Amino acid sequence: MEAVLFYIFAIGVVVAGAQVVLRRNPIYGAVSLVACFFFLAGIYVLLSAHLIAILQVMVYAGAVMVLFVFVIMLLNLKEEELGEMHVTTMKGIGLAAVLVLVGFIAWKALTPVQFARDMAVNEQIHGFGGVKAVGNVLYRSSVLPFEVTSLLLLVAVVSAVVIAKGKI
Amino acid sequence: MQAFLDSLIRGWGHDPQTWVWTQLIYVAFMGLFSFAVINFAAVTAGIFSWAERRVAGRMQSRVGPNRAGPGGFYQWIADAVKLLTKEDLVPTEADQFLFRIAPYFMMVGFACVFVALPFSHRLVIAEMNVGVFYIIAVTALIVVGIIMSGWSSNSKWSLFGAIRSAAQIISYEIPAGMALMIPVLLSGTLSTQGIIRAQGPWPWEWYIFHDPASFAAFFIYFISALAEGNRTPFDLPEAESELVSGYNTEYSGMRFSYFFLVEWGNMWVMSALATTMFLGGWQVPFLPVTDAADKIAMLSGGWTVLAELASIAIFTFKTLFFVFIVMWLRWTLPRIRVDQMMNMCWKYLVPVSFAAVLFVAGWMLVIHAVPALDWIMRIVLTAGGAITLVMFWLRTLQNIKDTGDKFDFTSNW
């Protein structure tokens, strides 16, 4: 059953991800991205990383994507404003880069690596991705990067206020 | 749920680990439970729609729907049948695909919440160790549905309604989330059942009366939940006098009814969550259930069933009480302006909720050092709450006596 669910979610991620890039209308792209995040959360659940799955949905699908959609909706592009489809050199380079990347990942994934598998099993045993495991990693072993990130967010908030206000 | 199904399979004389049909049984029961839950949600939402109109009628000195059945109770069934048989219109200029699927996004986001909501001591579909986060996360689908319906309708009113709603829900998610973190801090678990087990049956054991900050957090959560559910005084996204009906203006028939099903069903969700997190959930007096000892499970035979029923009754009573308060607020308070709504969230609720979380964290350290303070604080707050309720009750009785108001059950009720 896990395998069946995995294939459902994996196909969903790939199809929705492709939709994000291929759709002309930005709203469709954004909605596909939300769907992609949900399928990805399903894969996290299969990996028994419940907290990561929930955070994926809550932060990305819930907050970040709603803001994206919000902005796209405010712009409200019409079909005529999007312009016509062109085949450009940049798109060709992009396609080539995607093919190289996919090929590389496929080659890596098909080569058995003992070390990586052991690590995965280890983390499975210690409840990787659960509330306790994530908390331990965040507040024990990597507390400094965590706090520095919060400082970064504070800087972003202050600068957003400065830009929006103009005169303080 | 898995433990229950495993015991069921064992009862049939098979080993759940090796039996070939185990996975199929899991899937079948998942379907069954989902069916039960979605029906529960739909029926409560329907009954609330009738109750709300009766309450509104009473508060505005008019009658309300009273034709179909006793007291007009079958009105909601009649409405549902009417909506089912109405033509499902899709505007020509609308985005056909998104317009059609948007209500289902809302329905899914709303129905998924019921999976983690407890109903009684044993009656919960999935006891997740991330239950509270799960509830916050799946409600995000409702926002996506609102935005999609507003944008795809290709109508100014719908778009404005959707934008207002998105801004409102995103903003009020922050104080609501912070307020819900306080019971999580106090109990040390994210599981909804675990939070109830960490509280007790008596008011002074509930988290609302634990300390001043959690008392404030309860009200912050309640206000934010009202805003997230687009309830008055925060019903700006569907303000009839400005936006016709907001994001659902262009909808008709069954798809339209989904929006209202979600709105009324949300009243149960927010009240049940408030009951779970702050008001001791289904805990039965004299039969406290904690992580250490489960008094209900220790009972035997018929008493277990009785205690289980009592816990369902207690939980339902608390929840319905808050559902009534939500209705009461709707017909008491006028709608606030957009800027007032934003000010209220970002200038008052967000800072107060952050301060409350910090206070609770500090208070936990204090009562760890001086345990006596814990009980003093709880009893003082409970007594304060009880005195306030009694004074409110006396004042209301006085008002009713002075105006000579009476509720007539006999004629044309």
Side-chain angles (χ1 to χ4, degrees), chain B residues 54-304:
Chain B
R54 287 316 302 254
V55 169
R58 169 81 186 137
M59 285 184 182
Q60 298 177 339
S61 298
R62 53 190 175 83
V63 183
N66 68 342
R67 295 286 109 186
F73 180 75
Y74 299 142
Q75 185 66 40
W76 64 276
I77 301 174
D79 283 344
V81 170
K82 186 198 88 175
L83 284 165
L84 259 170
T85 50
K86 258 182 138 178
E87 190 188 352
D88 180 27
L89 289 169
V90 181
T92 354
E93 289 291 301
D95 189 308
Q96 306 283 326
F97 177 66
L98 288 183
F99 188 86
R100 282 174 201 277
I101 64 164
Y104 299 111
F105 265 73
M106 293 189 67
M107 267 307 278
V108 169
F110 158 70
C112 280
V113 175
F114 281 87
V115 172
L117 276 185
F119 292 94
S120 84
H121 171 235
R122 284 209 192 86
L123 205 60
V124 60
I125 293 182
E127 195 183 339
M128 287 182 246
N129 59 358
V130 287
V132 179
F133 266 20
Y134 169 83
I135 290 173
I136 299 175
V138 289
T139 43
L141 263 179
I142 297 182
V143 198
V144 177
I146 288 178
I147 292 183
M148 273 163 59
S149 64
W151 182 82
S152 64
S153 300
N154 202 3
S155 143
K156 288 275 188 295
W157 287 315
S158 301
L159 188 64
F160 277 126
I163 288 175
R164 278 189 188 183
S165 180
Q168 181 174 320
I169 295 179
I170 290 276
S171 307
Y172 278 89
E173 247 176 23
I174 299 167
M178 291 311 283
L180 288 182
M181 283 309 107
I182 284 173
V184 171
L185 257 181
L186 290 170
S187 63
T189 173
L190 278 167
S191 143
T192 44
Q193 293 284 67
I195 287 168
I196 294 175
R197 277 199 293 269
Q199 303 175 64
W202 301 108
W204 52 88
E205 292 169 316
W206 298 347
Y207 280 148
I208 180 174
F209 296 126
H210 185 269
D211 55 79
S214 63
F215 188 72
F218 171 75
F219 292 98
I220 291 173
Y221 170 72
F222 202 69
I223 294 169
S224 310
L226 280 179
E228 284 189 70
N230 293 334
R231 298 286 306 183
T232 321
F234 302 100
D235 63 342
L236 298 141
E238 41 196 271
E240 291 92 346
S241 47
E242 306 162 31
L243 298 174
V244 186
S245 182
Y247 51 85
N248 54 29
T249 307
E250 305 293 335
Y251 282 86
S252 65
M254 204 56 205
R255 285 176 215 280
F256 173 77
S257 73
Y258 285 153
F259 288 101
F260 273 81
L261 203 154
V262 170
E263 184 182 327
W264 274 307
N266 242 333
M267 282 164 43
W268 175 279
V269 171
M270 70 168 97
S271 310
L273 203 54
T275 308
T276 304
M277 305 297 283
F278 293 99
L279 296 167
W282 38 252
Q283 293 272 18
V284 186
F286 306 112
L287 291 169
V289 177
T290 59
D291 282 325
D294 188 340
K295 280 266 174 66
I296 292 182
M298 273 191 257
L299 295 170
S300 58
W303 291 108
T304 325

Side-chain angles (χ1 to χ4, degrees), chain A residues 1 28 54 62 69-70 73 76, chain B residues 23 95 133 140 147 151 163:
Chain A
M1 178 143 111
Y28 271 96
I54 296 294
V69 177
F70 200 73
M73 253 175 24
N76 205 5
Chain B
Q23 303 285 344
D95 189 308
F133 266 20
I147 292 183
W151 182 82
I163 288 175

Side-chain angles (χ1 to χ4, degrees), chain A residues 24-107:
Chain A
R24 300 269 293 144
N25 194 325
I27 282 273
Y28 271 96
V31 171
S32 310
L33 197 53
V34 173
C36 182
F37 285 147
F38 269 95
F39 286 122
L40 204 58
I43 290 181
Y44 282 131
V45 171
L46 288 182
L47 287 170
S48 79
H50 298 120
L51 184 69
I52 307 275
I54 296 294
L55 289 180
Q56 172 83 21
V57 172
M58 193 158 75
V59 176
Y60 289 100
V64 175
M65 280 321 294
V66 170
L67 285 180
F68 272 28
V69 177
F70 200 73
V71 173
I72 297 170
M73 253 175 24
L74 282 175
L75 295 175
N76 205 5
L77 287 171
K78 295 269 158 17
E79 196 62 45
E80 312 88 66
E81 293 169 43
L82 290 169
E84 286 185 16
M85 275 283 266
H86 291 296
V87 180
T88 56
T89 335
M90 276 314 281
K91 281 184 183 160
I93 295 171
L95 187 66
V98 166
L99 286 179
V100 169
L101 194 66
V102 168
F104 181 71
I105 292 171
W107 174 60

Side-chain angles (χ1 to χ4, degrees), chain B residues 25 92 116 350 387:
Chain B
I25 296 284
T92 354
V350 169
I387 290 167

